[in-house]
Amino acid sequence: MGIQYVKAVTFQVIGAPTVYALAQERPQIAIMVDVRANQIGENMPNFEVELVMHCQGQTAPGPNGEEPVRLFESKMTYAGIFTLNHSTAETFEPLLLIEAPRMLFPGARNLLVTLSREAGFLPIVVQQIDFAELWRNRRAQG
């Protein structure tokens, strides 16, 4: 891997400042993830791999069945440059769509955790993502 970098990021606190009265506990999060790979230059072994994460933080449902309240929303594209020399047709796609995002994920997760903490919320917990399962599901969908 060459470098990794933040390509784009937005973080919005929904309903600030009154939302902070509701945010007494660690936010629950929902994350949608996508992975994209694009070749840099024709007939070159360099690829930009993008890990796209859309995250929403919300309160837990209330004890009397109250709906969760959305606290924040973040959209992030975290990318890296990867060089694939001597890659075979069988390893090409798994390297770009499983291994590359697996390497990018810790940096993207750290950024998301830092942004939510700096926005005034208790630290969020972002579980590891199974990129192999994500890749298999995308292939099954066609």
Side-chain angles (χ1 to χ4, degrees):
M1 178 171 61
I3 66 166
Q4 49 183 290
Y5 51 94
V6 178
K7 192 166 183 178
V9 65
T10 61
F11 191 97
Q12 179 182 8
V13 176
I14 311 297
T18 57
V19 72
Y20 292 107
L22 303 172
Q24 302 301 316
E25 297 177 7
R26 183 183 316 270
Q28 296 184 351
I29 61 168
I31 296 181
M32 293 182 294
V33 176
D34 191 18
V35 177
R36 300 187 290 237
N38 300 301
Q39 190 169 12
I40 302 171
E42 215 171 298
N43 299 319
M44 299 294 288
N46 299 325
F47 292 82
E48 179 187 54
V49 176
E50 296 176 341
L51 176 57
V52 181
M53 298 171 60
H54 181 200
C55 176
Q56 290 187 348
Q58 60 187 23
T59 62
N64 299 321
E66 297 94 353
E67 289 291 315
V69 175
R70 224 169 32 132
L71 302 171
F72 63 84
E73 185 172 328
S74 176
K75 295 178 184 175
M76 173 189 320
T77 302
Y78 197 84
I81 305 295
F82 295 83
T83 302
L84 298 184
N85 290 319
H86 314 294
S87 180
T88 65
E90 298 82 38
T91 62
F92 191 76
E93 195 172 316
L95 285 172
L96 290 174
L97 301 179
I98 298 173
E99 296 306 321
R102 189 177 289 155
M103 294 171 76
L104 293 171
F105 181 72
R109 174 174 48 195
N110 288 342
L111 179 59
L112 182 58
V113 169
T114 299
L115 287 171
S116 66
R117 186 185 67 239
E118 292 297 320
F121 298 103
L122 290 173
I124 61 173
V125 176
V126 182
Q127 299 296 323
Q128 181 66 38
I129 295 171
D130 185 346
F131 290 102
E133 183 68 22
L134 181 66
W135 177 66
R136 285 190 293 275
N137 289 341
R138 286 183 75 178
R139 287 183 61 104
Q141 291 174 359

Short mmCIF file of all heavy atoms in Angstrom, two decimals, residues 18-68:
data_model
loop_
_atom_site.label_atom_id
_atom_site.label_comp_id
_atom_site.label_asym_id
_atom_site.label_seq_id
_atom_site.Cartn_x
_atom_site.Cartn_y
_atom_site.Cartn_z
N THR A 18 -30.02 21.18 21.39
CA THR A 18 -30.97 20.48 22.27
C THR A 18 -30.77 18.97 22.27
O THR A 18 -31.13 18.30 23.24
CB THR A 18 -32.42 20.79 21.86
OG1 THR A 18 -32.60 20.43 20.49
CG2 THR A 18 -32.75 22.25 22.07
N VAL A 19 -30.16 18.41 21.23
CA VAL A 19 -29.96 16.97 21.15
C VAL A 19 -29.03 16.46 22.26
O VAL A 19 -29.14 15.32 22.68
CB VAL A 19 -29.42 16.57 19.76
CG1 VAL A 19 -27.97 17.00 19.58
CG2 VAL A 19 -29.56 15.09 19.53
N TYR A 20 -28.18 17.32 22.78
CA TYR A 20 -27.24 16.88 23.82
C TYR A 20 -27.94 16.51 25.13
O TYR A 20 -27.41 15.74 25.91
CB TYR A 20 -26.15 17.92 24.05
CG TYR A 20 -25.23 18.02 22.85
CD1 TYR A 20 -25.28 19.11 22.00
CD2 TYR A 20 -24.35 17.00 22.56
CE1 TYR A 20 -24.45 19.18 20.89
CE2 TYR A 20 -23.52 17.05 21.45
CZ TYR A 20 -23.58 18.15 20.62
OH TYR A 20 -22.77 18.22 19.53
N ALA A 21 -29.13 17.04 25.36
CA ALA A 21 -29.90 16.64 26.55
C ALA A 21 -30.35 15.18 26.44
O ALA A 21 -30.55 14.51 27.44
CB ALA A 21 -31.11 17.55 26.72
N LEU A 22 -30.47 14.68 25.20
CA LEU A 22 -30.89 13.29 24.98
C LEU A 22 -29.72 12.32 24.95
O LEU A 22 -29.91 11.12 25.11
CB LEU A 22 -31.63 13.18 23.64
CG LEU A 22 -32.85 14.07 23.46
CD1 LEU A 22 -33.34 13.99 22.02
CD2 LEU A 22 -33.94 13.67 24.43
N ALA A 23 -28.54 12.83 24.73
CA ALA A 23 -27.35 11.98 24.51
C ALA A 23 -26.61 11.71 25.81
O ALA A 23 -25.46 12.07 25.96
CB ALA A 23 -26.44 12.65 23.49
N GLN A 24 -27.29 11.06 26.76
CA GLN A 24 -26.67 10.77 28.05
C GLN A 24 -25.89 9.47 28.05
O GLN A 24 -25.08 9.22 28.93
CB GLN A 24 -27.75 10.73 29.14
CG GLN A 24 -28.53 12.01 29.24
CD GLN A 24 -27.66 13.22 29.56
OE1 GLN A 24 -26.79 13.15 30.42
NE2 GLN A 24 -27.87 14.31 28.85
N GLU A 25 -26.15 8.60 27.08
CA GLU A 25 -25.47 7.32 26.98
C GLU A 25 -24.70 7.25 25.67
O GLU A 25 -24.86 8.08 24.79
CB GLU A 25 -26.49 6.18 27.04
CG GLU A 25 -27.26 6.13 28.36
CD GLU A 25 -28.31 5.05 28.38
OE1 GLU A 25 -28.37 4.24 27.43
OE2 GLU A 25 -29.09 5.02 29.34
N ARG A 26 -23.91 6.19 25.53
CA ARG A 26 -23.14 5.97 24.31
C ARG A 26 -24.13 5.79 23.14
O ARG A 26 -25.04 4.98 23.23
CB ARG A 26 -22.30 4.71 24.47
CG ARG A 26 -21.40 4.40 23.29
CD ARG A 26 -20.63 3.10 23.47
NE ARG A 26 -20.05 2.93 24.79
CZ ARG A 26 -18.83 3.34 25.15
NH1 ARG A 26 -18.06 3.93 24.27
NH2 ARG A 26 -18.37 3.14 26.36
N PRO A 27 -23.95 6.53 22.05
CA PRO A 27 -24.87 6.38 20.91
C PRO A 27 -24.81 4.97 20.31
O PRO A 27 -23.76 4.34 20.27
CB PRO A 27 -24.34 7.40 19.89
CG PRO A 27 -23.54 8.37 20.69
CD PRO A 27 -22.96 7.58 21.83
N GLN A 28 -25.94 4.50 19.88
CA GLN A 28 -25.99 3.28 19.08
C GLN A 28 -25.77 3.70 17.64
O GLN A 28 -26.24 4.76 17.22
CB GLN A 28 -27.35 2.59 19.24
CG GLN A 28 -27.60 2.12 20.64
CD GLN A 28 -28.91 1.36 20.76
OE1 GLN A 28 -29.72 1.33 19.85
NE2 GLN A 28 -29.12 0.75 21.91
N ILE A 29 -25.06 2.87 16.87
CA ILE A 29 -24.76 3.28 15.50
C ILE A 29 -25.22 2.23 14.50
O ILE A 29 -25.32 1.05 14.80
CB ILE A 29 -23.26 3.59 15.31
CG1 ILE A 29 -22.40 2.35 15.59
CG2 ILE A 29 -22.83 4.75 16.16
CD1 ILE A 29 -20.97 2.52 15.13
N ALA A 30 -25.50 2.73 13.31
CA ALA A 30 -25.79 1.89 12.16
C ALA A 30 -24.85 2.37 11.05
O ALA A 30 -24.74 3.57 10.80
CB ALA A 30 -27.24 2.04 11.73
N ILE A 31 -24.18 1.42 10.41
CA ILE A 31 -23.21 1.77 9.37
C ILE A 31 -23.54 1.02 8.09
O ILE A 31 -23.80 -0.18 8.12
CB ILE A 31 -21.76 1.43 9.79
CG1 ILE A 31 -21.36 2.27 10.98
CG2 ILE A 31 -20.80 1.66 8.64
CD1 ILE A 31 -19.94 2.03 11.46
N MET A 32 -23.52 1.75 6.99
CA MET A 32 -23.61 1.15 5.65
C MET A 32 -22.24 1.35 5.00
O MET A 32 -21.67 2.43 5.09
CB MET A 32 -24.70 1.81 4.82
CG MET A 32 -26.10 1.54 5.36
SD MET A 32 -27.40 2.26 4.35
CE MET A 32 -27.08 4.00 4.58
N VAL A 33 -21.74 0.29 4.38
CA VAL A 33 -20.38 0.32 3.83
C VAL A 33 -20.41 -0.07 2.36
O VAL A 33 -21.17 -0.95 1.96
CB VAL A 33 -19.47 -0.67 4.60
CG1 VAL A 33 -18.09 -0.74 3.99
CG2 VAL A 33 -19.39 -0.28 6.06
N ASP A 34 -19.57 0.58 1.58
CA ASP A 34 -19.37 0.22 0.18
C ASP A 34 -17.88 0.31 -0.10
O ASP A 34 -17.15 1.08 0.54
CB ASP A 34 -20.14 1.17 -0.74
CG ASP A 34 -20.20 0.69 -2.18
OD1 ASP A 34 -19.96 -0.52 -2.42
OD2 ASP A 34 -20.49 1.50 -3.07
N VAL A 35 -17.42 -0.49 -1.04
CA VAL A 35 -16.00 -0.49 -1.44
C VAL A 35 -15.96 -0.31 -2.95
O VAL A 35 -16.69 -0.98 -3.68
CB VAL A 35 -15.30 -1.81 -1.05
CG1 VAL A 35 -13.86 -1.81 -1.54
CG2 VAL A 35 -15.37 -2.04 0.45
N ARG A 36 -15.10 0.61 -3.39
CA ARG A 36 -14.91 0.85 -4.83
C ARG A 36 -13.43 0.82 -5.13
O ARG A 36 -12.61 1.27 -4.32
CB ARG A 36 -15.50 2.20 -5.23
CG ARG A 36 -16.98 2.34 -4.96
CD ARG A 36 -17.54 3.62 -5.52
NE ARG A 36 -17.06 4.79 -4.78
CZ ARG A 36 -17.86 5.68 -4.20
NH1 ARG A 36 -19.17 5.53 -4.24
NH2 ARG A 36 -17.37 6.72 -3.57
N ALA A 37 -13.09 0.30 -6.31
CA ALA A 37 -11.69 0.28 -6.74
C ALA A 37 -11.62 0.81 -8.17
O ALA A 37 -12.42 0.41 -9.02
CB ALA A 37 -11.13 -1.14 -6.67
N ASN A 38 -10.68 1.72 -8.40
CA ASN A 38 -10.50 2.30 -9.72
C ASN A 38 -9.02 2.28 -10.08
O ASN A 38 -8.17 2.67 -9.27
CB ASN A 38 -10.99 3.76 -9.73
CG ASN A 38 -12.45 3.88 -9.39
OD1 ASN A 38 -13.30 3.31 -10.05
ND2 ASN A 38 -12.74 4.58 -8.30
N GLN A 39 -8.74 1.86 -11.30
CA GLN A 39 -7.35 1.84 -11.77
C GLN A 39 -6.88 3.26 -12.03
O GLN A 39 -7.62 4.09 -12.56
CB GLN A 39 -7.25 1.00 -13.04
CG GLN A 39 -5.83 0.73 -13.46
CD GLN A 39 -5.74 -0.32 -14.55
OE1 GLN A 39 -6.73 -0.67 -15.17
NE2 GLN A 39 -4.54 -0.81 -14.78
N ILE A 40 -5.64 3.54 -11.63
CA ILE A 40 -5.04 4.85 -11.85
C ILE A 40 -4.14 4.73 -13.07
O ILE A 40 -3.07 4.13 -12.99
CB ILE A 40 -4.23 5.31 -10.63
CG1 ILE A 40 -5.12 5.35 -9.39
CG2 ILE A 40 -3.59 6.67 -10.89
CD1 ILE A 40 -4.36 5.60 -8.10
N GLY A 41 -4.55 5.25 -14.17
CA GLY A 41 -3.75 5.18 -15.40
C GLY A 41 -3.96 3.88 -16.14
O GLY A 41 -4.12 2.82 -15.52
N GLU A 42 -3.96 3.95 -17.44
CA GLU A 42 -4.16 2.78 -18.28
C GLU A 42 -2.94 1.88 -18.25
O GLU A 42 -1.80 2.35 -18.30
CB GLU A 42 -4.42 3.25 -19.72
CG GLU A 42 -5.40 2.38 -20.47
CD GLU A 42 -5.78 3.00 -21.79
OE1 GLU A 42 -6.34 4.11 -21.78
OE2 GLU A 42 -5.48 2.37 -22.81
N ASN A 43 -3.16 0.58 -18.15
CA ASN A 43 -2.09 -0.42 -18.11
C ASN A 43 -1.09 -0.20 -16.98
O ASN A 43 0.09 -0.51 -17.12
CB ASN A 43 -1.35 -0.47 -19.46
CG ASN A 43 -2.28 -0.86 -20.58
OD1 ASN A 43 -3.12 -1.74 -20.42
ND2 ASN A 43 -2.15 -0.20 -21.71
N MET A 44 -1.56 0.37 -15.88
CA MET A 44 -0.72 0.61 -14.71
C MET A 44 -1.18 -0.31 -13.58
O MET A 44 -2.36 -0.64 -13.50
CB MET A 44 -0.82 2.07 -14.26
CG MET A 44 -0.37 3.08 -15.31
SD MET A 44 1.37 2.97 -15.69
CE MET A 44 2.05 3.65 -14.21
N PRO A 45 -0.27 -0.71 -12.68
CA PRO A 45 -0.66 -1.60 -11.58
C PRO A 45 -1.22 -0.88 -10.35
O PRO A 45 -1.44 -1.49 -9.33
CB PRO A 45 0.66 -2.30 -11.24
CG PRO A 45 1.69 -1.26 -11.52
CD PRO A 45 1.17 -0.51 -12.73
N ASN A 46 -1.43 0.45 -10.45
CA ASN A 46 -1.88 1.24 -9.30
C ASN A 46 -3.39 1.42 -9.30
O ASN A 46 -3.99 1.72 -10.34
CB ASN A 46 -1.21 2.61 -9.31
CG ASN A 46 0.29 2.50 -9.22
OD1 ASN A 46 0.82 1.62 -8.54
ND2 ASN A 46 0.99 3.39 -9.90
N PHE A 47 -3.97 1.26 -8.11
CA PHE A 47 -5.41 1.38 -7.94
C PHE A 47 -5.72 2.24 -6.73
O PHE A 47 -5.02 2.17 -5.71
CB PHE A 47 -6.05 -0.01 -7.71
CG PHE A 47 -5.97 -0.89 -8.92
CD1 PHE A 47 -4.82 -1.60 -9.19
CD2 PHE A 47 -7.05 -1.01 -9.78
CE1 PHE A 47 -4.73 -2.41 -10.30
CE2 PHE A 47 -6.97 -1.81 -10.89
CZ PHE A 47 -5.82 -2.52 -11.15
N GLU A 48 -6.78 3.05 -6.85
CA GLU A 48 -7.32 3.75 -5.71
C GLU A 48 -8.50 2.92 -5.21
O GLU A 48 -9.41 2.61 -5.97
CB GLU A 48 -7.80 5.16 -6.07
CG GLU A 48 -8.39 5.87 -4.86
CD GLU A 48 -9.04 7.19 -5.22
OE1 GLU A 48 -9.90 7.21 -6.12
OE2 GLU A 48 -8.69 8.19 -4.57
N VAL A 49 -8.44 2.54 -3.94
CA VAL A 49 -9.54 1.81 -3.32
C VAL A 49 -10.20 2.76 -2.33
O VAL A 49 -9.54 3.38 -1.51
CB VAL A 49 -9.05 0.53 -2.60
CG1 VAL A 49 -10.20 -0.16 -1.88
CG2 VAL A 49 -8.40 -0.41 -3.61
N GLU A 50 -11.54 2.88 -2.45
CA GLU A 50 -12.31 3.77 -1.58
C GLU A 50 -13.18 2.93 -0.65
O GLU A 50 -13.91 2.06 -1.11
CB GLU A 50 -13.20 4.68 -2.40
CG GLU A 50 -12.47 5.64 -3.29
CD GLU A 50 -13.41 6.47 -4.14
OE1 GLU A 50 -14.60 6.10 -4.32
OE2 GLU A 50 -12.97 7.52 -4.63
N LEU A 51 -13.09 3.23 0.62
CA LEU A 51 -13.98 2.66 1.63
C LEU A 51 -14.99 3.75 1.97
O LEU A 51 -14.62 4.78 2.54
CB LEU A 51 -13.18 2.24 2.86
CG LEU A 51 -13.95 1.72 4.05
CD1 LEU A 51 -14.81 0.51 3.67
CD2 LEU A 51 -13.00 1.36 5.18
N VAL A 52 -16.23 3.55 1.57
CA VAL A 52 -17.28 4.55 1.77
C VAL A 52 -18.14 4.10 2.94
O VAL A 52 -18.69 2.99 2.94
CB VAL A 52 -18.15 4.70 0.49
CG1 VAL A 52 -19.22 5.75 0.70
CG2 VAL A 52 -17.27 5.03 -0.71
N MET A 53 -18.23 4.96 3.96
CA MET A 53 -19.00 4.64 5.15
C MET A 53 -20.05 5.72 5.41
O MET A 53 -19.73 6.90 5.42
CB MET A 53 -18.07 4.51 6.37
CG MET A 53 -17.04 3.41 6.24
SD MET A 53 -15.78 3.40 7.53
CE MET A 53 -16.74 3.18 9.00
N HIS A 54 -21.27 5.28 5.62
CA HIS A 54 -22.36 6.17 6.00
C HIS A 54 -22.82 5.71 7.38
O HIS A 54 -23.26 4.57 7.54
CB HIS A 54 -23.49 6.09 4.98
CG HIS A 54 -24.64 7.00 5.29
ND1 HIS A 54 -25.88 6.81 4.76
CD2 HIS A 54 -24.75 8.08 6.07
CE1 HIS A 54 -26.70 7.74 5.21
NE2 HIS A 54 -26.03 8.52 6.01
N CYS A 55 -22.67 6.56 8.37
CA CYS A 55 -22.95 6.18 9.75
C CYS A 55 -24.00 7.10 10.35
O CYS A 55 -23.96 8.32 10.15
CB CYS A 55 -21.67 6.27 10.58
SG CYS A 55 -21.89 5.94 12.33
N GLN A 56 -24.93 6.50 11.10
CA GLN A 56 -25.91 7.27 11.86
C GLN A 56 -25.81 6.85 13.32
O GLN A 56 -25.78 5.66 13.63
CB GLN A 56 -27.33 7.02 11.36
CG GLN A 56 -27.59 7.60 10.01
CD GLN A 56 -29.06 7.48 9.61
OE1 GLN A 56 -29.83 6.77 10.23
NE2 GLN A 56 -29.42 8.18 8.56
N GLY A 57 -25.75 7.83 14.20
CA GLY A 57 -25.76 7.58 15.64
C GLY A 57 -27.12 7.97 16.18
O GLY A 57 -27.69 8.98 15.77
N GLN A 58 -27.63 7.17 17.10
CA GLN A 58 -28.95 7.47 17.67
C GLN A 58 -29.01 7.00 19.11
O GLN A 58 -28.16 6.24 19.57
CB GLN A 58 -30.05 6.80 16.85
CG GLN A 58 -29.95 5.29 16.79
CD GLN A 58 -30.96 4.68 15.82
OE1 GLN A 58 -31.42 5.35 14.91
NE2 GLN A 58 -31.28 3.43 16.03
N THR A 59 -30.06 7.47 19.80
CA THR A 59 -30.29 7.02 21.17
C THR A 59 -30.87 5.61 21.13
O THR A 59 -31.33 5.15 20.08
CB THR A 59 -31.29 7.93 21.89
OG1 THR A 59 -32.54 7.89 21.19
CG2 THR A 59 -30.79 9.37 21.97
N ALA A 60 -30.83 4.95 22.25
CA ALA A 60 -31.50 3.65 22.37
C ALA A 60 -33.00 3.89 22.39
O ALA A 60 -33.46 4.97 22.78
CB ALA A 60 -31.05 2.95 23.64
N PRO A 61 -33.80 2.90 21.98
CA PRO A 61 -35.25 3.06 22.10
C PRO A 61 -35.62 3.29 23.57
O PRO A 61 -34.98 2.76 24.48
CB PRO A 61 -35.81 1.71 21.61
CG PRO A 61 -34.71 1.12 20.79
CD PRO A 61 -33.43 1.63 21.38
N GLY A 62 -36.65 4.08 23.80
CA GLY A 62 -37.07 4.39 25.16
C GLY A 62 -37.69 3.19 25.86
O GLY A 62 -38.14 2.25 25.21
N PRO A 63 -37.73 3.22 27.20
CA PRO A 63 -38.28 2.09 27.96
C PRO A 63 -39.77 1.87 27.72
O PRO A 63 -40.28 0.77 27.92
CB PRO A 63 -38.00 2.47 29.42
CG PRO A 63 -37.83 3.95 29.41
CD PRO A 63 -37.29 4.31 28.05
N ASN A 64 -40.45 2.90 27.27
CA ASN A 64 -41.89 2.78 27.00
C ASN A 64 -42.18 2.69 25.50
O ASN A 64 -43.26 3.07 25.06
CB ASN A 64 -42.65 3.96 27.62
CG ASN A 64 -42.48 4.00 29.13
OD1 ASN A 64 -42.49 2.95 29.78
ND2 ASN A 64 -42.31 5.18 29.68
N GLY A 65 -41.19 2.23 24.74
CA GLY A 65 -41.39 2.05 23.31
C GLY A 65 -41.17 3.31 22.48
O GLY A 65 -41.51 3.33 21.30
N GLU A 66 -40.58 4.35 23.08
CA GLU A 66 -40.31 5.57 22.30
C GLU A 66 -39.28 5.27 21.22
O GLU A 66 -38.37 4.47 21.42
CB GLU A 66 -39.77 6.70 23.21
CG GLU A 66 -40.72 7.16 24.27
CD GLU A 66 -40.50 6.45 25.60
OE1 GLU A 66 -39.69 5.50 25.67
OE2 GLU A 66 -41.13 6.85 26.58
N GLU A 67 -39.46 5.89 20.10
CA GLU A 67 -38.56 5.71 18.97
C GLU A 67 -37.18 6.30 19.30
O GLU A 67 -37.08 7.29 20.01
CB GLU A 67 -39.11 6.43 17.73
CG GLU A 67 -40.33 5.77 17.13
CD GLU A 67 -40.03 4.43 16.50
OE1 GLU A 67 -39.03 4.33 15.76
OE2 GLU A 67 -40.79 3.48 16.77
N PRO A 68 -36.11 5.69 18.76
CA PRO A 68 -34.77 6.28 18.94
C PRO A 68 -34.71 7.65 18.28
O PRO A 68 -35.42 7.92 17.31
CB PRO A 68 -33.85 5.30 18.22
CG PRO A 68 -34.64 4.06 18.00
CD PRO A 68 -36.08 4.45 18.01
#
